[in-house]
């Protein structure tokens, strides 16, 4: 029961694409089409990491009979296929609500048709596609007429039961114990292996493989650049000390049942002091000690939507960034459309500023001055601009279909001055937005250019202060010639359009989907790295280009590179350079 591109709910990221891998996609589609249904189905496809057996059985009087065994099976199907869009509690996330007050009125036969054949509004054809058997279609039609089972809450007691300090701070190195240029390390998600690889940019060799949570969504660095934080979709956080002779985990914790975001304090005087993680379930965030991950304060995000002012029981925490202007974390609350400015200067007297933006807040990044947070409200087709200095909403900007910027891309447009750009999942456009209200006031907070890329299904756009190239992936486009390549624009001649680089072909990995995802620069901006993400049992690779010539420089192949996806350069991540 997951809607396609019209009902996007998963937070970013590349770690949510598991059903896309290994799927044979039709190549005969018209490249000019948005491919909304196909790309969202791929994007939304990963199952929830919530254990279905943990949700309590609740049968509803008047609903069609469901045995206890059937109920357990239906729970599993729902968490694996439906919860990402409709919400764990079926109250509606970016998908429609599926609660008994609605479904009982529809009846079993109507619901069976809907589940079996789908709908033009975005519901996949679960039955006719073969994903569900006729018996399973009938079961799910009966199941969603009962009250949704609620997974258990996850609080301080549960967190502390998983919290482990492997190497206490006083036993850690007092200086860097290895000879690596750790500032130019790449932390690479090995999605299906539940690991992360640390790769040395100089030698292009894997320094170490570290066990992490499942499908690490992001890697974040402490302000000092010493500590690396990873968070898996299963809400497991690793704190990794890069100063050790061989970098390794020094503390870990599980902060919920499903999660996407982690960040550390960066404001002057508060560097490395705190870490924060946001969860999908339960809908909340937790502030932790930056050296040990000890959980200190948990805050729920349940509340009212920004537009209709209706209560939502499951507003998930998406992106979190650390303010450079104040001792604050900036937190996107997805389903309610609110941005929270959480002041961490006094946890006992905790203060939060609530900014109404637009529903379905997802990911985003800073403008070049690091004052304005540019964040996508993806299903609202908007970019919200948050002024972190004044603590206000600066603008809401209409863009293309389902913006998915990653952190976005900052550069100086030859005509419009400083800009920030986002690509889109739902169409081929690239929105270029003016970001300098002082020197270019007429351009500020407006789409000054709408470039046309290869197609829809883009997840990441990237450039670097030392580069004149702008790279755009199309990892979720249904046409393999697009999903296995990237478009690159010359920033000094944007009107000339893009050139296509066949990254998947250059990888030389053989058979497989070979999705090319997330361009990421090295520290100096003279190399750009791409993940060639193949199936779990197929050969994947990292392809490295010389940025100036756009020519192949190196291919990293290693049997340990299992489904590499996100890559995060230490220096660029510390300094929010993109």
């Amino acid at each position: 029961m997951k809607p396609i591109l019209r009902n996007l709910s998963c937070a970013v990221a590349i770690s949510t694409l598991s059903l896309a891998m290994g799927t044979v996609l039709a190549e005969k589609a018209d490249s000019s089409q948005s491919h909304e249904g196909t790309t969202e189905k791929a994007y939304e496809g990963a199952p929830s990491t919530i254990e279905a057996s943990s949700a309590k059985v609740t049968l509803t009087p008047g609903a069609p009979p469901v045995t206890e065994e059937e109920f357990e099976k239906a729970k599993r199907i729902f968490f694996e296929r439906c919860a990402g869009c409709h919400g764990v509690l079926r109250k509606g996330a970016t998908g429609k609500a599926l609660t008994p007050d609605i479904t009982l009125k529809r009846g079993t036969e109507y619901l069976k048709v809907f589940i079996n054949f789908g709908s033009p509004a975005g519901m996949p054809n679960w039955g006719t596609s073969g994903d569900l058997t006729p018996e399973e279609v009938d079961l799910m039609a009966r199941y969603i007429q009962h009250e949704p089972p609620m997974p258990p809450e996850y609080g301080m007691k549960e967190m502390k039961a998983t919290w482990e300090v492997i190497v206490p701070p006083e036993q850690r190195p007092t200086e860097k114990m290895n000879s690596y240029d750790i500032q130019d390390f790449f932390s690479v998600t090995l999605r299906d292996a539940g690991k992360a690889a640390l790769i040395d940019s100089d030698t292009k060799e894997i320094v170490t493989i570290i066990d992490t949570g499942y499908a690490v969504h992001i890697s974040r660095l402490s302000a000092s650049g010493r500590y690396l934080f990873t968070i898996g979709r299963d809400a497991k956080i690793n704190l990794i000390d890069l100063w050790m002779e061989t970098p390794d985990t020094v503390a870990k914790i599980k902060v919920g049942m499903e999660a996407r975001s982690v960040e550390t304090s960066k404001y002057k005087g508060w560097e490395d002091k705190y870490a924060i993680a946001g969860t999908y379930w339960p809908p909340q965030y937790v502030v932790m000690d930056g050296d040990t991950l000890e959980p200190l304060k948990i805050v729920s995000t349940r509340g009212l939507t920004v537009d209709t002012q209706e209560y939502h029981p499951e507003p998930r925490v998406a992106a979190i960034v650390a303010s450079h202007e104040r001792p604050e974390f900036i937190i996107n609350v997805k389903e309610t459309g609110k941005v929270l400015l959480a002041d961490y200067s006094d946890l006992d007297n905790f203060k939060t500023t609530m900014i109404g933006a637009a529903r379905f807040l997802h990911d985003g990044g800073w403008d070049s001055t690091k004052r304005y947070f540019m964040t996508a409200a993806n299903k609202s087709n908007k970019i919200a601009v948050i002024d972190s200095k004044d603590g206000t909403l600066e603008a809401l900007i209409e863009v293309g279909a389902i913006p998915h910027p990653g952190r976005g891309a900052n550069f100086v447009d030859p005509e419009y001055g400083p800009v920030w750009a986002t690509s889109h999942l739902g169409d081929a456009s690239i929105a270029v937005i003016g970001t300098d209200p002082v020197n270019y006031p007429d351009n500020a907070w407006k789409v000054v250019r709408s470039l046309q890329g290869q197609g829809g299904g883009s997840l990441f756009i990237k450039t670097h202060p030392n580069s004149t190239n702008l790279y755009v992936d199309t990892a979720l486009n249904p046409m393999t010639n697009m999903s296995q390549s990237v478009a690159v624009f010359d920033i000094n001649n944007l009107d000339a359009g893009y050139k296509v680089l066949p990254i998947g072909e250059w990888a030389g990995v053989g058979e497989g989907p070979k999705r090319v995802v997330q361009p990421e620069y090295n520290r100096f901006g003279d190399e750009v790295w791409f993940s060639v993400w193949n199936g779990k049992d197929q050969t994947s690779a990292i392809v490295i280009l010389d940025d100036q010539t756009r020519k192949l420089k190196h291919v990293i192949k290693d049997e340990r590179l299992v489904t590499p996806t996100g890559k995060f350069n230490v220096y660029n991540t510390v300094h929010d350079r993109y």
Side-chain angles (χ1 to χ4, degrees):
M1 275 42 115
K2 85 187 153 165
I4 355 190
L5 221 109
R6 294 217 187 163
N7 295 322
L8 184 64
S9 67
C10 199
V12 89
I14 52 183
S15 64
T16 59
L17 309 176
S18 66
L19 289 189
M21 301 311 297
T23 301
V24 178
L25 297 173
E27 293 191 336
K28 62 183 179 181
D30 180 356
S31 63
S32 66
Q33 294 175 351
S34 68
H35 307 303
E36 290 192 6
T38 305
T39 55
E40 183 161 4
K41 185 171 182 179
Y43 188 69
E44 296 278 2
S48 169
T49 55
I50 296 173
E51 181 60 47
S53 61
S54 67
K56 190 175 181 180
V57 174
T58 51
L59 297 177
T60 301
V66 176
T67 68
E68 187 170 335
E69 182 180 359
E70 286 179 322
F71 201 94
E72 291 299 322
K73 180 178 180 179
K75 276 197 302 181
R76 177 179 54 78
I77 292 173
F78 187 85
F79 282 137
E80 288 181 354
R81 299 179 182 270
C82 317
C85 289
H86 295 288
V88 170
L89 302 181
R90 306 211 308 263
K91 299 288 186 180
T94 48
K96 300 292 186 182
L98 294 174
T99 46
D101 60 312
I102 298 170
T103 55
L104 278 168
K105 294 176 183 177
R106 300 296 186 185
T108 302
E109 293 306 313
Y110 172 91
L111 295 171
K112 284 170 63 175
V113 171
F114 195 65
I115 297 168
N116 196 47
F117 293 100
S119 78
M123 180 75 173
N125 55 324
W126 290 110
T128 57
S129 68
D131 288 298
L132 297 180
T133 66
E135 293 76 20
E136 288 171 334
V137 169
D138 177 75
L139 170 59
M140 296 310 295
R142 289 180 284 129
Y143 169 77
I144 61 175
Q145 295 177 69
H146 291 268
E147 286 293 330
M150 179 178 288
E153 296 296 319
Y154 201 97
M156 188 64 73
K157 177 182 176 182
E158 289 78 15
M159 290 185 196
K160 286 199 169 182
T162 70
W163 173 47
E164 183 179 358
V165 179
I166 300 165
V167 182
E170 62 273 13
Q171 296 179 19
R172 297 173 194 168
T174 56
E175 60 183 13
K176 190 164 78 76
M177 301 299 291
N178 58 64
S179 59
Y180 298 109
D181 178 7
I182 61 174
Q183 294 298 298
D184 214 10
F185 269 8
F186 283 78
S187 175
V188 180
T189 297
L190 305 181
R191 187 190 186 283
D192 293 313
K195 301 176 187 291
L198 296 184
I199 302 180
D200 177 28
S201 179
D202 290 335
T203 65
K204 311 294 189 290
E205 293 181 353
I206 297 175
V207 174
T208 188
I209 303 283
I210 297 172
D211 290 331
T212 60
Y214 169 69
V216 164
H217 193 66
I218 54 173
S219 297
R220 287 289 172 260
L221 276 298
S222 65
S224 67
R226 173 177 181 172
Y227 290 118
L228 171 70
F229 297 76
T230 66
I231 187 165
R233 292 186 66 248
D234 53 6
K236 292 179 180 177
I237 300 174
N238 286 59
L239 173 59
I240 298 162
D241 188 352
L242 299 180
W243 279 14
M244 297 172 71
E245 185 173 354
T246 300
D248 206 351
T249 298
V250 293
K252 56 186 178 180
I253 191 173
K254 181 175 169 64
V255 294
M257 302 180 77
E258 189 166 2
R260 295 296 186 277
S261 52
V262 67
E263 180 63 294
T264 67
S265 53
K266 291 184 175 179
Y267 185 65
K268 186 176 181 180
W270 296 86
E271 297 95 334
D272 295 17
K273 184 171 180 60
Y274 293 122
I276 183 174
T279 51
Y280 270 25
W281 187 269
Q284 61 191 30
Y285 61 89
V286 56
V287 179
M288 299 162 284
D289 181 271
D291 285 333
T292 66
L293 299 181
E294 178 184 6
L296 303 173
K297 190 168 198 69
I298 303 171
V299 182
S300 173
T301 55
R302 292 178 171 104
L304 304 177
T305 58
V306 68
D307 44 12
T308 58
Q309 301 288 292
E310 295 175 277
Y311 178 73
H312 199 293
E314 197 185 337
R316 300 170 290 183
V317 177
I320 303 176
V321 296
S323 174
H324 300 273
E325 298 282 352
R326 300 177 177 183
E328 290 179 338
F329 292 117
I330 302 178
I331 303 164
N332 278 351
V333 185
K334 196 173 184 76
E335 276 71 36
T336 53
K338 295 177 180 178
V339 180
L340 308 180
L341 310 183
D343 184 341
Y344 54 73
S345 63
D346 184 352
L347 296 187
D348 291 328
N349 298 284
F350 197 64
K351 299 180 180 67
T352 302
T353 299
M354 184 181 296
I355 299 174
R359 284 217 230 183
F360 316 123
L361 292 165
H362 188 51
D363 59 355
W366 295 106
D367 80 308
S368 60
T369 69
K370 300 181 180 65
R371 172 174 174 172
Y372 298 99
F373 177 46
M374 315 283 293
T375 185
N378 55 23
K379 285 303 295 179
S380 296
N381 300 331
K382 291 180 172 64
I383 296 294
V385 183
I386 305 298
D387 184 343
S388 67
K389 183 175 182 178
D390 291 344
T392 57
L393 176 69
E394 183 72 16
L396 274 176
I397 306 164
E398 293 281 347
V399 292
I402 310 183
H404 194 285
R407 289 287 164 122
N410 287 301
F411 58 94
V412 178
D413 186 287
E415 183 175 352
Y416 300 106
V419 295
W420 178 92
T422 179
S423 54
H424 297 81
L425 273 165
D427 63 38
S429 70
I430 297 149
V432 180
I433 298 168
T435 60
D436 188 348
V438 176
N439 299 305
Y440 294 83
D442 293 340
N443 301 334
W445 322 131
K446 299 176 183 176
V447 176
V448 296
R449 292 183 190 267
S450 183
L451 306 174
Q452 288 298 301
Q454 288 197 85
S458 176
L459 290 175
F460 294 99
I461 183 170
K462 188 72 70 170
T463 189
H464 187 279
N466 296 335
S467 174
T468 59
N469 289 322
L470 177 67
Y471 295 92
V472 184
D473 71 19
T474 39
L476 292 189
N477 195 285
M479 297 182 67
T480 56
N481 64 317
M482 294 186 191
S483 64
Q484 296 178 7
S485 64
V486 298
V488 56
F489 293 81
D490 180 353
I491 288 171
N492 294 323
N493 190 16
L494 292 168
D495 291 333
Y498 61 85
K499 292 188 176 180
V500 176
L501 304 180
I503 304 298
E505 177 185 329
W506 291 349
V509 295
E511 296 299 317
K514 293 178 288 192
R515 293 184 180 275
V516 176
V517 66
Q518 197 194 28
E520 178 78 349
Y521 279 85
N522 67 342
R523 172 181 180 176
F524 305 104
D526 57 6
E527 291 179 355
V528 59
W529 294 36
F530 298 88
S531 294
V532 179
W533 175 20
N534 229 344
K536 183 177 180 179
D537 298 320
Q538 296 166 315
T539 302
S540 294
I542 303 292
V543 170
I544 302 168
L545 303 190
D546 180 301
D547 180 66
Q548 186 173 4
T549 66
R550 302 178 179 173
K551 301 296 185 183
L552 178 64
K553 184 173 183 178
H554 190 81
V555 178
I556 302 175
K557 293 181 187 177
D558 190 299
E559 62 182 9
R560 295 172 293 173
L561 283 179
V562 178
T563 57
T565 51
K567 303 168 301 304
F568 303 89
N569 177 267
V570 168
Y571 187 87
N572 292 337
T573 304
V574 168
H575 296 278
D576 289 315
R577 290 203 315 189
Y578 30 83

